[in-house]
Amino acid sequence: SVPRGIRNHNPGNIERGAPWQGLADPAEMTAEQRAEPRFCVFRAPKWGIRALARVLITYQDKHGLRTVRGMISRWAPKADQNNTEAYIRTVSDHLGVAHDTAIDVHTYDVARALVEAIIRHENGRQPYDRATIDTGLALAGIEPPVLMVAPPPVPIPTKPAPRTLRQTSTGKTGAAGLLAAGGTVLTVAAENADAVLDAATNPAVRALETAAPWIGGVLAALAAVAILLLLARKHRLETAG
């Protein structure tokens, strides 16, 4: 019930003669395969599919056959008792091309459709899954196209927003809290120079001066240091530019 080409892992029914890759050794064959008088017996379907594809490549590259009519007329000639015209129609219909339209068997889609059509016509069925067909074609040097996938975009790092004087409050009260608040002016001076340089109108600075007048001198010194830091940073940026 299983067609000869499928039993022999030779779905193209290629005749013996050439030293094909993947031919089965007699020790690997069944008794029926050893008794095969005409056709090759391969170790696995992928090798028979490879041989089929290599024959088609030879037809195109060596003999200049570029149409379904040309290839099938050589593959299954009328002289060998074949219904060549029916074979041509079947294969052309499967490929969706006219009998005399130029094709390229080095193209994966064309080669795959052509191989599947020949297997079906030779055996009355095409029992192999896509992976088996693709493996045989790859062994013949015909690879499926590679899909180019764009890499994901590289995220652009975001610069954190500068801290404000209000955000850096330690929550302490009394002199210790005032000193801590004053110290933060120096810490964030380079990040938030506007808050330091505009000390005369900054509510936080006014609150410190009202609570403890002697803090004014400390703040003035800190503001001076902040201005120096700002000028140094500006000079560094201009030099780098």
Side-chain angles (χ1 to χ4, degrees):
S1 62
V2 179
R4 174 189 284 182
I6 306 304
R7 293 198 309 267
N8 291 337
H9 305 312
N10 179 11
N13 285 321
I14 296 173
E15 297 187 2
R16 289 180 175 176
W20 293 105
Q21 292 184 28
L23 288 172
D25 294 326
E28 300 175 299
M29 298 181 188
T30 65
E32 184 180 33
Q33 289 172 335
R34 284 193 292 271
E36 170 59 56
R38 180 180 176 186
F39 298 106
C40 296
V41 177
F42 291 95
R43 294 198 303 268
K46 64 183 180 180
W47 296 110
I49 294 169
R50 175 196 176 275
L52 169 52
R54 291 304 305 175
V55 170
L56 297 175
I57 291 171
T58 299
Y59 284 177
Q60 176 174 307
D61 293 353
K62 184 176 180 180
H63 302 289
L65 303 176
R66 300 296 301 267
T67 66
V68 172
R69 181 182 296 279
M71 291 185 178
I72 298 303
S73 294
R74 187 180 181 94
W75 180 273
K78 293 180 180 179
D80 290 348
Q81 313 291 312
N82 293 299
N83 187 344
T84 306
E85 288 301 317
Y87 207 150
I88 291 171
R89 286 195 301 272
T90 299
V91 174
S92 293
D93 290 346
H94 187 76
L95 267 67
V97 300
H99 305 171
D100 298 310
T101 297
I103 58 176
D104 182 5
V105 296
H106 290 284
T107 303
Y108 167 79
D109 290 337
V110 172
R112 186 170 181 271
L114 188 56
V115 164
E116 288 182 336
I118 290 173
I119 292 174
R120 183 173 288 107
H121 194 86
E122 291 284 337
N123 302 279
R125 67 182 76 168
Q126 198 295 94
Y128 306 116
D129 59 19
R130 187 185 187 100
T132 301
I133 297 291
D134 284 354
T135 300
L137 292 178
L139 289 170
I142 303 171
E143 298 279 357
V146 178
L147 296 178
M148 300 300 293
V149 179
V154 178
I156 300 175
T158 58
K159 184 177 181 180
R163 293 178 295 168
T164 66
L165 293 175
R166 186 181 302 275
Q167 291 173 327
T168 57
S169 175
T170 61
K172 296 181 180 180
T173 60
L178 294 175
L179 289 174
T184 59
V185 175
L186 180 58
T187 303
V188 302
E191 298 176 343
N192 200 341
D194 291 340
V196 176
L197 297 178
D198 196 23
T201 60
N202 189 288
V205 175
R206 287 181 176 179
L208 292 174
E209 292 177 345
T210 301
W214 60 271
I215 292 298
V218 175
L219 291 176
L222 292 174
V225 173
I227 292 172
L228 291 176
L229 289 173
L230 180 60
L231 292 175
R233 183 179 65 179
K234 181 179 179 182
H235 176 72
R236 185 170 60 256
L237 292 176
E238 290 176 349
T239 303

PDB file of all heavy atoms in Angstrom, residues 84-104:
ATOM      1  N   THR A  84       3.801  12.738 -20.306  1.00  0.00           N
ATOM      2  CA  THR A  84       4.580  13.931 -19.996  1.00  0.00           C
ATOM      3  C   THR A  84       3.705  15.172 -19.932  1.00  0.00           C
ATOM      4  O   THR A  84       3.903  16.028 -19.055  1.00  0.00           O
ATOM      5  CB  THR A  84       5.705  14.110 -21.031  1.00  0.00           C
ATOM      6  OG1 THR A  84       6.474  12.908 -21.098  1.00  0.00           O
ATOM      7  CG2 THR A  84       6.617  15.261 -20.649  1.00  0.00           C
ATOM      8  N   GLU A  85       2.760  15.310 -20.825  1.00  0.00           N
ATOM      9  CA  GLU A  85       1.918  16.502 -20.846  1.00  0.00           C
ATOM     10  C   GLU A  85       1.074  16.606 -19.578  1.00  0.00           C
ATOM     11  O   GLU A  85       0.909  17.696 -19.016  1.00  0.00           O
ATOM     12  CB  GLU A  85       1.026  16.500 -22.087  1.00  0.00           C
ATOM     13  CG  GLU A  85       1.768  16.784 -23.388  1.00  0.00           C
ATOM     14  CD  GLU A  85       2.481  18.131 -23.374  1.00  0.00           C
ATOM     15  OE1 GLU A  85       1.870  19.124 -22.902  1.00  0.00           O
ATOM     16  OE2 GLU A  85       3.640  18.193 -23.812  1.00  0.00           O
ATOM     17  N   ALA A  86       0.537  15.484 -19.112  1.00  0.00           N
ATOM     18  CA  ALA A  86      -0.241  15.509 -17.870  1.00  0.00           C
ATOM     19  C   ALA A  86       0.660  15.861 -16.689  1.00  0.00           C
ATOM     20  O   ALA A  86       0.248  16.596 -15.769  1.00  0.00           O
ATOM     21  CB  ALA A  86      -0.904  14.145 -17.643  1.00  0.00           C
ATOM     22  N   TYR A  87       1.877  15.363 -16.712  1.00  0.00           N
ATOM     23  CA  TYR A  87       2.851  15.660 -15.661  1.00  0.00           C
ATOM     24  C   TYR A  87       3.139  17.163 -15.649  1.00  0.00           C
ATOM     25  O   TYR A  87       3.162  17.812 -14.593  1.00  0.00           O
ATOM     26  CB  TYR A  87       4.124  14.864 -15.934  1.00  0.00           C
ATOM     27  CG  TYR A  87       4.964  14.523 -14.717  1.00  0.00           C
ATOM     28  CD1 TYR A  87       5.738  13.362 -14.690  1.00  0.00           C
ATOM     29  CD2 TYR A  87       5.027  15.367 -13.601  1.00  0.00           C
ATOM     30  CE1 TYR A  87       6.516  13.042 -13.595  1.00  0.00           C
ATOM     31  CE2 TYR A  87       5.811  15.052 -12.505  1.00  0.00           C
ATOM     32  CZ  TYR A  87       6.555  13.898 -12.507  1.00  0.00           C
ATOM     33  OH  TYR A  87       7.323  13.574 -11.418  1.00  0.00           O
ATOM     34  N   ILE A  88       3.354  17.739 -16.827  1.00  0.00           N
ATOM     35  CA  ILE A  88       3.649  19.172 -16.930  1.00  0.00           C
ATOM     36  C   ILE A  88       2.489  19.992 -16.380  1.00  0.00           C
ATOM     37  O   ILE A  88       2.684  20.958 -15.630  1.00  0.00           O
ATOM     38  CB  ILE A  88       3.944  19.556 -18.395  1.00  0.00           C
ATOM     39  CG1 ILE A  88       5.275  18.935 -18.844  1.00  0.00           C
ATOM     40  CG2 ILE A  88       3.988  21.079 -18.555  1.00  0.00           C
ATOM     41  CD1 ILE A  88       5.542  19.068 -20.341  1.00  0.00           C
ATOM     42  N   ARG A  89       1.261  19.620 -16.755  1.00  0.00           N
ATOM     43  CA  ARG A  89       0.090  20.363 -16.266  1.00  0.00           C
ATOM     44  C   ARG A  89      -0.015  20.309 -14.745  1.00  0.00           C
ATOM     45  O   ARG A  89      -0.289  21.320 -14.083  1.00  0.00           O
ATOM     46  CB  ARG A  89      -1.186  19.807 -16.902  1.00  0.00           C
ATOM     47  CG  ARG A  89      -1.375  20.180 -18.354  1.00  0.00           C
ATOM     48  CD  ARG A  89      -2.809  19.918 -18.775  1.00  0.00           C
ATOM     49  NE  ARG A  89      -3.171  18.507 -18.604  1.00  0.00           N
ATOM     50  CZ  ARG A  89      -2.978  17.573 -19.529  1.00  0.00           C
ATOM     51  NH1 ARG A  89      -2.419  17.895 -20.700  1.00  0.00           N
ATOM     52  NH2 ARG A  89      -3.347  16.326 -19.306  1.00  0.00           N
ATOM     53  N   THR A  90       0.204  19.131 -14.167  1.00  0.00           N
ATOM     54  CA  THR A  90       0.099  18.976 -12.712  1.00  0.00           C
ATOM     55  C   THR A  90       1.106  19.856 -11.986  1.00  0.00           C
ATOM     56  O   THR A  90       0.773  20.555 -11.022  1.00  0.00           O
ATOM     57  CB  THR A  90       0.315  17.503 -12.319  1.00  0.00           C
ATOM     58  OG1 THR A  90      -0.700  16.696 -12.932  1.00  0.00           O
ATOM     59  CG2 THR A  90       0.273  17.330 -10.806  1.00  0.00           C
ATOM     60  N   VAL A  91       2.340  19.822 -12.447  1.00  0.00           N
ATOM     61  CA  VAL A  91       3.395  20.598 -11.786  1.00  0.00           C
ATOM     62  C   VAL A  91       3.168  22.092 -11.986  1.00  0.00           C
ATOM     63  O   VAL A  91       3.316  22.893 -11.047  1.00  0.00           O
ATOM     64  CB  VAL A  91       4.777  20.169 -12.309  1.00  0.00           C
ATOM     65  CG1 VAL A  91       5.870  21.068 -11.728  1.00  0.00           C
ATOM     66  CG2 VAL A  91       5.059  18.716 -11.950  1.00  0.00           C
ATOM     67  N   SER A  92       2.788  22.503 -13.175  1.00  0.00           N
ATOM     68  CA  SER A  92       2.538  23.926 -13.437  1.00  0.00           C
ATOM     69  C   SER A  92       1.402  24.449 -12.564  1.00  0.00           C
ATOM     70  O   SER A  92       1.476  25.561 -12.021  1.00  0.00           O
ATOM     71  CB  SER A  92       2.198  24.141 -14.912  1.00  0.00           C
ATOM     72  OG  SER A  92       3.314  23.874 -15.727  1.00  0.00           O
ATOM     73  N   ASP A  93       0.340  23.646 -12.434  1.00  0.00           N
ATOM     74  CA  ASP A  93      -0.787  24.071 -11.600  1.00  0.00           C
ATOM     75  C   ASP A  93      -0.355  24.234 -10.141  1.00  0.00           C
ATOM     76  O   ASP A  93      -0.795  25.168  -9.453  1.00  0.00           O
ATOM     77  CB  ASP A  93      -1.931  23.060 -11.695  1.00  0.00           C
ATOM     78  CG  ASP A  93      -2.621  23.085 -13.063  1.00  0.00           C
ATOM     79  OD1 ASP A  93      -2.392  24.047 -13.811  1.00  0.00           O
ATOM     80  OD2 ASP A  93      -3.367  22.133 -13.366  1.00  0.00           O
ATOM     81  N   HIS A  94       0.497  23.333  -9.664  1.00  0.00           N
ATOM     82  CA  HIS A  94       0.943  23.423  -8.271  1.00  0.00           C
ATOM     83  C   HIS A  94       1.803  24.659  -8.051  1.00  0.00           C
ATOM     84  O   HIS A  94       1.702  25.310  -7.008  1.00  0.00           O
ATOM     85  CB  HIS A  94       1.724  22.167  -7.886  1.00  0.00           C
ATOM     86  CG  HIS A  94       2.082  22.105  -6.433  1.00  0.00           C
ATOM     87  ND1 HIS A  94       1.176  21.786  -5.445  1.00  0.00           N
ATOM     88  CD2 HIS A  94       3.253  22.337  -5.782  1.00  0.00           C
ATOM     89  CE1 HIS A  94       1.754  21.830  -4.261  1.00  0.00           C
ATOM     90  NE2 HIS A  94       3.026  22.157  -4.440  1.00  0.00           N
ATOM     91  N   LEU A  95       2.641  24.997  -9.016  1.00  0.00           N
ATOM     92  CA  LEU A  95       3.490  26.187  -8.896  1.00  0.00           C
ATOM     93  C   LEU A  95       2.710  27.467  -9.179  1.00  0.00           C
ATOM     94  O   LEU A  95       3.134  28.553  -8.765  1.00  0.00           O
ATOM     95  CB  LEU A  95       4.676  26.109  -9.854  1.00  0.00           C
ATOM     96  CG  LEU A  95       5.973  25.500  -9.290  1.00  0.00           C
ATOM     97  CD1 LEU A  95       5.792  24.018  -8.997  1.00  0.00           C
ATOM     98  CD2 LEU A  95       7.137  25.720 -10.231  1.00  0.00           C
ATOM     99  N   GLY A  96       1.585  27.348  -9.892  1.00  0.00           N
ATOM    100  CA  GLY A  96       0.829  28.538 -10.265  1.00  0.00           C
ATOM    101  C   GLY A  96       1.485  29.336 -11.362  1.00  0.00           C
ATOM    102  O   GLY A  96       1.376  30.576 -11.387  1.00  0.00           O
ATOM    103  N   VAL A  97       2.186  28.661 -12.281  1.00  0.00           N
ATOM    104  CA  VAL A  97       2.846  29.336 -13.397  1.00  0.00           C
ATOM    105  C   VAL A  97       2.465  28.641 -14.696  1.00  0.00           C
ATOM    106  O   VAL A  97       2.028  27.486 -14.710  1.00  0.00           O
ATOM    107  CB  VAL A  97       4.386  29.330 -13.227  1.00  0.00           C
ATOM    108  CG1 VAL A  97       4.799  30.046 -11.951  1.00  0.00           C
ATOM    109  CG2 VAL A  97       4.935  27.912 -13.241  1.00  0.00           C
ATOM    110  N   ALA A  98       2.657  29.346 -15.793  1.00  0.00           N
ATOM    111  CA  ALA A  98       2.431  28.745 -17.105  1.00  0.00           C
ATOM    112  C   ALA A  98       3.531  27.738 -17.408  1.00  0.00           C
ATOM    113  O   ALA A  98       4.621  27.774 -16.830  1.00  0.00           O
ATOM    114  CB  ALA A  98       2.389  29.835 -18.176  1.00  0.00           C
ATOM    115  N   HIS A  99       3.234  26.831 -18.352  1.00  0.00           N
ATOM    116  CA  HIS A  99       4.191  25.763 -18.671  1.00  0.00           C
ATOM    117  C   HIS A  99       5.547  26.291 -19.102  1.00  0.00           C
ATOM    118  O   HIS A  99       6.585  25.670 -18.824  1.00  0.00           O
ATOM    119  CB  HIS A  99       3.637  24.864 -19.793  1.00  0.00           C
ATOM    120  CG  HIS A  99       2.287  24.291 -19.490  1.00  0.00           C
ATOM    121  ND1 HIS A  99       1.537  23.603 -20.421  1.00  0.00           N
ATOM    122  CD2 HIS A  99       1.546  24.286 -18.344  1.00  0.00           C
ATOM    123  CE1 HIS A  99       0.404  23.213 -19.877  1.00  0.00           C
ATOM    124  NE2 HIS A  99       0.387  23.616 -18.624  1.00  0.00           N
ATOM    125  N   ASP A 100       5.541  27.444 -19.793  1.00  0.00           N
ATOM    126  CA  ASP A 100       6.782  27.963 -20.384  1.00  0.00           C
ATOM    127  C   ASP A 100       7.275  29.230 -19.702  1.00  0.00           C
ATOM    128  O   ASP A 100       8.091  29.972 -20.260  1.00  0.00           O
ATOM    129  CB  ASP A 100       6.564  28.226 -21.882  1.00  0.00           C
ATOM    130  CG  ASP A 100       6.218  26.942 -22.635  1.00  0.00           C
ATOM    131  OD1 ASP A 100       6.948  25.946 -22.465  1.00  0.00           O
ATOM    132  OD2 ASP A 100       5.212  26.931 -23.380  1.00  0.00           O
ATOM    133  N   THR A 101       6.808  29.480 -18.485  1.00  0.00           N
ATOM    134  CA  THR A 101       7.296  30.620 -17.709  1.00  0.00           C
ATOM    135  C   THR A 101       8.649  30.273 -17.091  1.00  0.00           C
ATOM    136  O   THR A 101       8.836  29.182 -16.525  1.00  0.00           O
ATOM    137  CB  THR A 101       6.299  30.984 -16.599  1.00  0.00           C
ATOM    138  OG1 THR A 101       5.065  31.379 -17.191  1.00  0.00           O
ATOM    139  CG2 THR A 101       6.838  32.122 -15.734  1.00  0.00           C
ATOM    140  N   ALA A 102       9.588  31.200 -17.175  1.00  0.00           N
ATOM    141  CA  ALA A 102      10.916  30.968 -16.596  1.00  0.00           C
ATOM    142  C   ALA A 102      10.827  30.924 -15.072  1.00  0.00           C
ATOM    143  O   ALA A 102      10.153  31.746 -14.453  1.00  0.00           O
ATOM    144  CB  ALA A 102      11.879  32.063 -17.031  1.00  0.00           C
ATOM    145  N   ILE A 103      11.490  29.942 -14.475  1.00  0.00           N
ATOM    146  CA  ILE A 103      11.545  29.794 -13.022  1.00  0.00           C
ATOM    147  C   ILE A 103      12.997  29.627 -12.608  1.00  0.00           C
ATOM    148  O   ILE A 103      13.877  29.380 -13.436  1.00  0.00           O
ATOM    149  CB  ILE A 103      10.708  28.587 -12.532  1.00  0.00           C
ATOM    150  CG1 ILE A 103      11.203  27.290 -13.193  1.00  0.00           C
ATOM    151  CG2 ILE A 103       9.228  28.801 -12.810  1.00  0.00           C
ATOM    152  CD1 ILE A 103      10.492  26.037 -12.693  1.00  0.00           C
ATOM    153  N   ASP A 104      13.241  29.752 -11.322  1.00  0.00           N
ATOM    154  CA  ASP A 104      14.605  29.632 -10.778  1.00  0.00           C
ATOM    155  C   ASP A 104      14.579  28.653  -9.616  1.00  0.00           C
ATOM    156  O   ASP A 104      14.053  28.959  -8.549  1.00  0.00           O
ATOM    157  CB  ASP A 104      15.116  30.997 -10.328  1.00  0.00           C
ATOM    158  CG  ASP A 104      16.554  30.949  -9.798  1.00  0.00           C
ATOM    159  OD1 ASP A 104      17.188  29.870  -9.877  1.00  0.00           O
ATOM    160  OD2 ASP A 104      17.033  31.983  -9.300  1.00  0.00           O
TER     161      ASP A 104
END
